Amino acid sequence: MKSSKEILDSEFLDLRSKLLDLAASLDRIDRAEGSIAGDERMQLLAAGIAIIAKDDPDRAHQIQHLFSREFDPQWKQKFNMPTRN
Amino acid sequence: MEAEIQHANQKLATSMYYIDPHIHMVSRTTDDYETLARMGCVAISEPAFWAGYDRGSADGFRDYFVQLTEVEPLRAAAYGIEHFTWLCINAKEAENVQLSRDVLKMIPEFLDCPNVLGIGEIGLNKNTPNESIIFQEHLELAIEYDQQILIHTPHLEDKYQGTRMILDMLADHSQLDRSRVLVDHVEEHTVRAVIDAGYWAGMTLYPVTKCTPARAADIIETVGSERLCVNSAGDWGPSKPTAVPDLIFEMRKRGHREAQIKEVVFDNPRRFFNQSKNFQLSDPEDR
Ligand SMILES: [Zn+2]
């Protein structure tokens, strides 16, 4: 299997390009007319970018949770669902 | 060095035979069957799903089940591909409880068809009470008829919540054999809960909304390949029927051993399906 140096060597240009794509998409949104003030998706994206910038081993996992609705362990009571067996 | 590169390149270009355990061929062309065969696909399993519009009656589902059990096996056989299927009313139309119960009543008529592996893909879509009720009724049907189960987990922001709800409902049934249940469309945040609870897990390779081949390979590297399968879930929407060969290519590029790749794309789905009385598939290597 490849070393971290080998992976960085093979993926560096790809990562650079992904960063540019992300930056250009955000620029495109800014440049366009109309307002997105208060659109919570922009806050989600900003929070996602902050996760990427962290030095953590499970960034992808954290981003998945960022974009997920919460799970309520009491959901069955709320739905009036009987526990079956 | 040159010889090494040449050897690696040769390996990258060789096709490996594989099973696509989740693909909706009713939505694909005959050309796709040919392409799959050329790419090394030897068997597929096709769960019943949402057609892109709501069907008007239980009879619409009867026609669909005939298509899955009679028509598709013939289309697949023309290209040397074994076709298997799963029956249910999908989570989206399960919102209509009366229609769902009419369909549930009809399913047993088809369970003895030679290519039926079990009940699926059942699950949740928007995680509603009605979907949950019909999911439970499907589980009861599967238990009553001793069927394997294939489960669809919701999309995007609904996936985590829906997967946890599904695991809760599965746990209600102590008589359920967990090794005969596959929870599909897992991603980074849901795979461990599924595997740790003793179920099989499926990863779907979708261009934007699910796993990319690179992320699926990452998950295999971090979680391991035991009880893990990959599929294209090719259907009428944005999807790529040859996504499994893309994963094979990605894993080879990373230097995974051929035997480990084969485990994920052939041995694992075969091991899971083998628990169904209607499944038979020899390893092409032994033929
Ligand atoms: Zn599907």
Side-chain angles (χ1 to χ4, degrees), chain B residues 22 24 47 49 121 152 185 206 233 235:
Chain B
H22 188 145
H24 300 289
F49 84 138
E121 56 183 305
H152 162 96
H185 316 316
Y206 264 11
D235 59 15

